[in-house]
Amino acid sequence: MAIDYLRRYLNVRWLRPENVMWRTVSSRAMSDFEYEEPSLDLGCGDGITSFIRAGGDFETSFDIFTGVGNLDEFFEDEDIYDAAPDTYDPDISQRPNYSISVGLDHKQALLDKAAKLDFYDELLQHDNNEPLPFDDGEFRTIFSNAVYWVENVDLHLEEISRVLDDSGEALLVLRTPHVHQFLDYLHAREDVLGEEFVDMIDRGRSEHYPSLHTEEGWDRKLEAAGLEISEKRSVISTTHAGIWDVGLRPISPLTIKMANALGNSQRRKIKSEWIDLWEELLEPLCEPMFELERDDPAAEILYFVTPQ
């Protein structure tokens, strides 16, 4: 039976429906990707996305917004999710269909959260701008949706190629400059909108992806790193990216504060109604390369690669 990704992501990310849309589209598009051991989740974060993709689910009492910090510093571009308060307690309703050998991320607080899932055999903190701390050909399966966060991306791709078994496969989720097409449109109209307005929408997001390349650019980099492309799937359209670029992100610290100030009973009631509404609103958008009227290149592409 197909996993209801939309409903599951809404449960844990209900206050950020634009992120739910993105993760649902991406997860549906890669649902046939199979993990073979040993496996590596490269840039695993708090593990929630991979946990759900593997078939895991949570009780309605849990969502990621119970584990935030630095809310008052959001407008200074602080990562409010880079926190692991003692109150963070994932209430698991369904175990995933498989586990992952190693989860790696550069933020310890996110790894501390991932540890509570009991989903990874091992968790490591590491800066992916440096060589990976693994032996040659150590992994049969590698997944990463964080390559474009890495500044030293050529080395990183070479390292992925090095630690991937000769008969293994990696799935790399790669973004193109089209991810910021709507944001670029707003920047170009600062004379009308005002710089402050555009900054409120951006909040440093455009500076956090140092390695965005066109499809042709990624093709060349993967080949140069010793990786052969077995398949590509265009997933996120510029329409998706435009919705995501605004979404509820600019007001999310306030909605999180309001939700966290509610009593448990009232929070669950409002959350349930919210999920029902957003499920209906988001479903038509949760198809790969959904476009309203344009035919633009993809903002995100799934690359299935093997060693050359």
Side-chain angles (χ1 to χ4, degrees):
M1 188 175 79
I3 298 171
D4 187 358
Y5 290 117
L6 177 55
R7 190 85 183 180
R8 294 188 188 191
Y9 284 129
L10 272 170
N11 181 44
V12 295
R13 300 181 181 275
W14 61 294
L15 296 174
R16 293 294 303 277
E18 74 280 9
N19 283 348
V20 169
M21 173 196 69
W22 194 298
R23 282 170 171 78
T24 299
V25 173
S26 186
S27 293
R28 287 177 174 177
M30 66 177 75
S31 61
D32 59 340
F33 181 68
E34 296 183 357
Y35 283 75
E36 293 186 26
E37 297 303 316
S39 55
L40 170 64
D41 189 350
L42 196 51
C44 64
D46 62 10
I48 295 290
T49 297
S50 289
F51 184 92
I52 290 177
R53 193 183 302 119
D57 200 3
F58 299 90
E59 298 289 352
T60 58
S61 58
F62 170 73
D63 56 66
I64 65 169
F65 307 107
T66 61
V68 297
N70 308 311
L71 282 173
D72 292 332
E73 283 75 51
F74 172 84
F75 297 108
E76 282 73 51
D77 298 336
E78 289 293 326
D79 182 1
I80 63 175
Y81 301 101
D82 186 15
D86 293 338
T87 54
Y88 184 81
D89 184 24
D91 192 358
I92 296 168
S93 63
Q94 183 173 328
R95 298 298 310 175
N97 300 322
Y98 56 84
S99 61
I100 294 178
S101 305
V102 180
L104 182 148
D105 201 88
H106 71 292
K107 293 185 177 181
Q108 186 58 51
L110 298 183
L111 292 171
D112 292 342
K113 289 178 176 177
K116 296 191 176 186
L117 300 176
D118 193 24
F119 175 54
Y120 299 95
D121 297 335
E122 183 181 5
L123 291 165
L124 295 174
Q125 184 181 23
H126 180 74
D127 180 356
N128 286 335
N129 288 290
E130 303 295 331
L132 293 173
F134 306 115
D135 294 333
D136 293 357
E138 185 166 340
F139 297 100
R140 290 274 300 163
T141 304
I142 298 176
F143 170 78
S144 180
N145 60 358
V147 170
Y148 52 87
W149 287 84
V150 179
E151 188 170 357
N152 195 359
V153 72
D154 292 329
L155 171 65
H156 187 49
L157 291 173
E158 290 170 2
E159 283 294 286
I160 291 173
S161 178
R162 179 183 67 80
V163 304
L164 183 61
D165 184 84
D166 288 342
S167 59
E169 183 178 34
L171 172 52
L172 307 180
V173 183
L174 304 178
R175 292 186 181 180
T176 76
H178 296 283
V179 72
H180 290 317
Q181 183 163 305
F182 182 67
L183 193 59
D184 292 341
Y185 173 88
L186 296 181
H187 276 294
R189 285 152 181 81
E190 284 186 1
D191 57 331
V192 177
L193 297 168
E195 183 178 351
E196 184 176 357
F197 175 88
V198 179
D199 285 345
M200 288 180 67
I201 301 300
D202 189 347
R203 288 298 175 204
R205 173 178 277 166
S206 58
E207 300 174 1
H208 290 164
Y209 305 149
S211 295
L212 297 177
H213 299 282
T214 63
E215 180 177 349
E216 294 76 14
W218 282 121
D219 290 353
R220 290 192 295 269
K221 285 188 174 294
L222 291 166
E223 181 180 5
L227 293 167
E228 181 175 346
I229 302 167
S230 56
E231 185 180 357
K232 289 188 289 187
R233 298 177 187 176
S234 296
V235 176
I236 299 295
S237 68
T238 53
T239 296
H240 286 133
I243 294 170
W244 170 80
D245 245 335
V246 181
L248 298 185
R249 183 171 183 260
I251 63 168
S252 60
L254 303 180
T255 57
I256 293 170
K257 283 182 179 180
M258 285 191 291
N260 288 348
L262 296 171
N264 289 338
S265 176
Q266 189 176 24
R267 181 190 179 103
R268 290 188 193 185
K269 182 177 184 301
I270 294 173
K271 178 181 176 181
S272 177
E273 294 173 355
W274 180 286
I275 288 174
D276 288 342
L277 175 62
W278 278 106
E279 183 177 29
E280 187 173 354
L281 286 171
L282 290 176
E283 182 57 52
L285 309 178
C286 289
E287 296 296 330
M289 292 303 293
F290 173 86
E291 291 280 3
L292 286 174
E293 57 185 40
R294 299 187 301 271
D295 186 22
D296 291 332
E300 182 174 278
I301 304 171
L302 307 184
Y303 276 83
F304 298 78
V305 298
T306 57
Q308 291 178 355

